[in-house]
Amino acid sequence: MPVRTTLDALIVARGLKARDLAQQVGLSETQLSLFRSGKVKGIRFRTLARLCAALECRPGDLLDYDYNPEDLILPDDD
């Protein structure tokens, strides 16, 4: 998937432990792990805001995108 999370890098850069971050933002360690691995299909804006507040970052700092022209192709409606 061309959209990926960069949460691990921010956790390391801030010298935090994922367990402590999960507790601070009100997530289970499992939920945070799923987000870190990119295995979630969505995230609530409130959760995103809590992560940004805890990490002192912006939403764009948590995500990255690798351009893929196929992302512009709409599925056929058969």
Side-chain angles (χ1 to χ4, degrees), residues 7-55:
L7 183 55
D8 280 337
L10 282 172
I11 289 172
V12 170
R14 302 295 193 270
L16 298 172
K17 293 185 179 180
R19 171 181 356 135
D20 296 334
L21 179 61
Q23 184 178 11
Q24 186 177 2
V25 299
L27 292 175
S28 70
E29 289 182 54
T30 301
Q31 290 171 315
L32 186 64
S33 177
L34 289 171
F35 180 68
R36 290 170 63 195
S37 66
K39 293 183 180 177
V40 295
K41 293 186 181 198
I43 184 170
R44 294 177 187 266
F45 282 167
R46 184 66 191 136
T47 302
L48 191 59
R50 287 180 179 148
L51 284 168
C52 288
L55 294 167

